[in-house]
Amino acid sequence: AQKVTQAQTEISVVEKEDVTLDCVYETRDTTYYLFWYKQPPSGELVFLIRRNSFDEQNEISGRYSWNFQKSTSSFNFTITASQVVDSAVYFCALSVNQAGTALIFGKGTTLSVSS
Amino acid sequence: EPEVTQTPSHQVTQMGQEVILRCVPISNHLYFYWYRQILGQKVEFLVSFYNNEISEKSEIFDDQFSVERPDGSNFTLKIRSTKLEDSAMYFCASIAQTNTEAFFGQGTRLTVV
């Protein structure tokens, strides 16, 4: 069975601080995909990144970066120089390599950035 | 930019009533999903739909739920006899190919009273 754990329920930071959101996953499949989604207060789910299990390169996109480590089954997300607009719930999700398979979400981490 | 659209944005219904939640997936996408999110909780998978049939469903998706794609564009979720615990945000999603990113609609907030 697959599982995603986001141990941090809530994180509060002050603007310009760096923050890392942790994600640990479990799967017996050798081919799988990891995702991060952002859910702002307005409620929609916004796709941030997709990474497959064979690509362990870290990725940077502006102030966002992701650290994928298969050895520890982790896919952590770092926001550099956080801003108030980063305040949201962030979900890590997993899907395995089967046609049309569903996303399995973690419970989410609520990030609050104050000015 | 193409997007998944859901209607209505908010629906209030009395317990025991039937509701139909509607979604228009992105036009060239092949896989369609319904997820739900009880307030303050994680997003949970309900059902996936491919090639005009259910491909996977969760334990939540019991006989009270059904999905269909009646006209090749709309994708609906029906709850036959709503219960208080069905109150949640329901998200529709679609993907172009397997294991690519899912595009989610804005959600329908269902409140059962």
Side-chain angles (χ1 to χ4, degrees):
Chain A
Q2 292 81 36
K3 185 178 177 183
V4 175
T5 301
Q6 294 179 256
Q8 303 152 309
T9 306
E10 294 184 19
I11 300 176
S12 294
V13 299
V14 178
E15 256 191 325
K16 299 183 184 176
E17 283 186 31
D18 299 348
V19 58
T20 295
L21 310 181
D22 298 334
C23 173
V24 174
Y25 62 91
E26 294 175 32
T27 180
R28 292 181 180 170
D29 289 72
T30 54
T31 303
Y32 51 89
Y33 300 82
L34 296 163
F35 303 79
W36 276 94
Y37 281 84
K38 174 182 180 180
Q39 186 175 43
S42 50
E44 72 271 26
L45 287 164
V46 178
F47 167 77
L48 295 178
I49 190 171
R50 166 183 173 268
R51 177 53 49 88
N52 75 54
S53 53
F54 298 108
D55 181 4
E56 287 194 71
Q57 279 194 338
N58 291 332
E59 181 156 341
I60 298 174
S61 175
R63 295 184 298 106
Y64 295 170
S65 63
W66 290 270
N67 183 355
F68 176 31
Q69 292 197 345
K70 286 180 79 169
S71 60
T72 54
S73 298
S74 65
F75 187 45
N76 297 337
F77 173 31
T78 297
I79 301 175
T80 303
S82 58
Q83 300 176 0
V84 172
V85 293
D86 296 327
S87 296
V89 182
Y90 290 86
F91 290 98
C92 181
L94 165 73
S95 70
V96 298
N97 190 33
Q98 296 173 18
T101 189
L103 289 168
I104 298 153
F105 284 85
K107 292 187 177 181
T109 297
T110 300
L111 174 65
S112 299
V113 182
S114 56
S115 57
Chain B
E1 182 177 323
E3 59 181 15
V4 177
T5 56
Q6 290 185 242
T7 55
S9 56
H10 190 191
Q11 176 144 7
V12 180
T13 189
Q14 290 200 327
M15 192 168 53
Q17 295 295 306
E18 174 183 286
V19 294
I20 297 176
L21 310 183
R22 302 180 192 280
C23 169
V24 179
I26 296 173
S27 63
N28 61 343
H29 282 190
L30 301 177
Y31 298 87
F32 314 111
Y33 304 83
W34 283 101
Y35 292 82
R36 81 169 185 193
Q37 184 183 31
I38 295 172
L39 186 64
Q41 298 187 23
K42 70 177 179 180
V43 180
E44 300 173 292
F45 166 70
L46 292 178
V47 65
S48 59
F49 195 84
Y50 171 71
N51 202 24
N52 286 320
E53 60 183 22
I54 291 174
S55 54
E56 188 181 1
K57 60 183 181 179
S58 73
E59 292 178 353
I60 303 169
F61 194 87
D62 61 22
D63 292 344
Q64 291 299 311
F65 292 89
S66 62
V67 290
E68 64 175 4
R69 196 155 185 252
D71 56 11
S73 61
N74 290 285
F75 178 49
T76 62
L77 173 70
K78 181 192 291 186
I79 309 174
R80 289 191 184 81
S81 178
T82 50
K83 306 171 200 166
L84 294 176
E85 54 264 38
D86 293 327
S87 295
M89 180 75 91
Y90 288 80
F91 289 103
C92 173
S94 68
I95 65 173
Q97 304 171 37
T98 188
N99 297 122
T100 55
E101 62 267 29
F103 289 84
F104 284 82
Q106 299 280 82
T108 293
R109 179 164 298 286
L110 176 65
T111 303
V112 182
V113 296

